[in-house]
Amino acid sequence: MTTQHKHKVTSLVLAAGNGTRMKSDLPKVMHEVAGKPMVGHVLSAMNALSPERTILVIAPHMDKVRERVSTLYPGTRFAIQDQQLGTGHAVRCAREEFKGFKGTVLIVYGDTPLITPESLSKLVAVREEHNAAVALLAIHPDDPTGYGRLIMKNEPYVERIVECKDANAEEKKLRWVWGGVIAFDAEFLYEGLENLEPSPVTKEYYLTTLIEMASASGKKAVMAPMDFEESMGVNNRVQLAQAEAVIQRRLRTRFMEQGVTLMLPETVYFNSDTQIGRDVVIQPNVFFGPGAIVGDHVEIRAFTHIEGTTIENGAIIGPFARLRPGSTVGENAHVGNFVELKKTTLAKGAKANHLSYIGDTTVGEGANIGAGTITCNYDGINKYNTTIGKNAFIGSNSSLVAPVTIGEGAIIGAGSVITQNVEDHALALTRSQQVNKIGKAIELRQRKGKL
Ligand code: UD1
Ligand code: CA
């Protein structure tokens, strides 16, 4: 994104909540949407604004969140909220992390995975335009239960926010509510948190109390409308599935716009890191796990499962193929039905078209792997590699017992069990000799009383 903002941005994400309604051993924000934790979606959206610093507020028991986020977003600072005393308290726990910072502190709740960089950028711009202490994104949902109501005499300026739990009947009818995304002037926020008092009703420290603190001291708090869908918070697994549906729809739309044909879009599942080139055709019911990179002019046929694999230009995959992590399918190579690749490289034009397991293997250019070939890469203790040379031909139903090397242009007779290396251009056979006994079938049947 290219939008330039006048002031620097610090992004702050709240994730210390327990998320009890998920009924899970995993912290809520670690639940994944399109293969990425919810908090990762929020951080990715915020990172598009190139924040000067990023702070995540977590609870003391959330080491897993810290670990995963540190790997995905190195440089993230963590603040610990040891008691759940409300959203205002959570931000206060992060105060030292933005002490002395001048600019905008952008706060998003960690369970809002659908927020887009465009809306965040708009919010920061709105605060700057109005020279406001606070800017917040507002929505008007059909059912505003649970949301803080915006009290406004002079739209778009907000006097205060009344939390749903504390609102009277009149206030409950108000149309605009806060969507959970807010931008503060850093110095105002730092000072305000110092003086924040808990709600007399619930004894919680509300972040929203800072709005009335701003207007009471003659500062501006301004609202800007946002798309309701983007504000959707995930509190249970039904909402998790709804968020997934939205992200999948966005990913499908993006790929189609980039020149990918999806024959039946709603049946294709993408990971948030999937990369696909141009003029790729994807048949129905294809699943992309993490780390799939697809080149141009590739055809991915129905019911294929792909993860951690690079597919080069012009390759044909499936139907019913399984590509596992560490694999590469070279240019114009083919991987057909019921073929599984694991940590395997197929060079340009190589083919494995039917019923095979190929693991820990390098297959040379133009080699042909016959139906039912198995690389025996595991002896129950260790894994071993197989190397198959350029233009080699592996006859059907062969077992290649690793470690083993099949030379360039070599031919393996069908049904062989290969335990020793095969030289370039050699023919290797390990089958027992065939014996044909003329007329013996008749004799056999007579003996068994069948004739
Ligand atoms: C909040 C807003 C409400 C707004 C709504 C939008 C407040 C007081 N209210 O209500 O005005 O309309 O979001 O979705 O802010 N959290 C902590 N520590 C805490 C409490 C919460 O880290 O002590 C985190 C949670 O993990 C969560 C976020 O803050 O990510 C929001 O908390 P939640 O309790 O869900 O607030 P709401 O009641 O939804
Ligand atoms: Ca919430």
Side-chain angles (χ1 to χ4, degrees), residues 16 42 164 410 418 421:
V42 174
C164 190
I418 301 293
N421 292 348

Side-chain angles (χ1 to χ4, degrees), residues 21 28 109 111-112 146-147 233-235:
R21 282 170 290 172
K28 176 160 85 173
Y109 291 163
D111 61 354
T112 319
Y147 291 98
V234 173
N235 300 302

Side-chain angles (χ1 to χ4, degrees), residues 92-156:
R92 184 146 86 187
C93 292
R95 241 171 123 227
E96 287 312 301
E97 299 299 333
F98 63 88
K99 186 180 183 177
F101 173 79
K102 288 192 173 43
T104 303
V105 178
L106 179 61
I107 302 177
V108 182
Y109 291 163
D111 61 354
T112 319
L114 302 178
I115 186 75
T116 61
E118 290 72 23
S119 295
L120 295 177
S121 179
K122 178 176 114 180
L123 180 65
V124 173
V126 165
R127 190 184 83 77
E128 289 177 348
E129 269 164 38
H130 288 265
N131 201 15
V134 193
L136 54 94
L137 288 175
I139 48 176
H140 53 96
D142 294 337
D143 175 13
T145 309
Y147 291 98
R149 309 299 202 270
L150 304 193
I151 312 289
M152 293 186 284
K153 276 196 203 124
N154 177 22
E155 222 177 293

